[in-house]
Structures are given as C-alpha cells and as structure tokens.
Amino acid sequence: MREPETIEEELAIIAEALNAGIDPFPPKREPSGILRLSLGWFMIIIMVSWVSQFLYRSL
C-alpha cells in the first residue's frame, strides 16, 4: 500500500478502517518493567561473574 499524498486520501483510509471496525489510533500500552528488570538482573550476574573471576585470579 502506498502512502497517501493528500489529506483527503488519508481521511478516506481512516474512514475505511473505522467502517471495518479497526481502531486506527489504538491507545498506547503501559510500559511493563519486565525489560528493565531482566536487564538489571543480567548486569548483576555479569558483575558478580567478573568479581568472582578477579578474586579467583588474585588468590
């Protein structure tokens, strides 16, 4: 599908979507903290690994 060139074409596409029962502007989803939480745990595991390797080599 090509991009609409005029506002009238864009309004016609939006009207078709509304008639078909499609919401062209869905509400934004609330960001879940799972990505931030998993990244934090990954960084903690990497740091613990580095510290344990450093302590093992220094002993």
Side-chain angles (χ1 to χ4, degrees):
M1 186 171 178
R2 64 178 176 79
E3 290 288 322
E5 295 179 2
T6 63
I7 293 177
E8 288 82 14
E9 290 177 0
E10 191 166 347
L11 289 174
I13 292 171
I14 292 172
E16 287 177 24
L18 289 173
N19 288 337
I22 300 170
D23 185 9
F25 306 106
K28 290 189 177 182
R29 293 189 301 177
E30 290 291 325
S32 65
I34 192 74
L35 181 63
R36 181 176 283 178
L37 182 66
S38 61
L39 181 62
W41 276 107
F42 175 74
M43 291 175 66
I44 288 171
I45 290 170
I46 292 295
M47 284 189 262
V48 167
S49 172
W50 287 344
V51 168
S52 65
Q53 285 179 4
F54 175 74
L55 290 176
Y56 181 74
R57 290 181 183 162
S58 66
L59 293 177

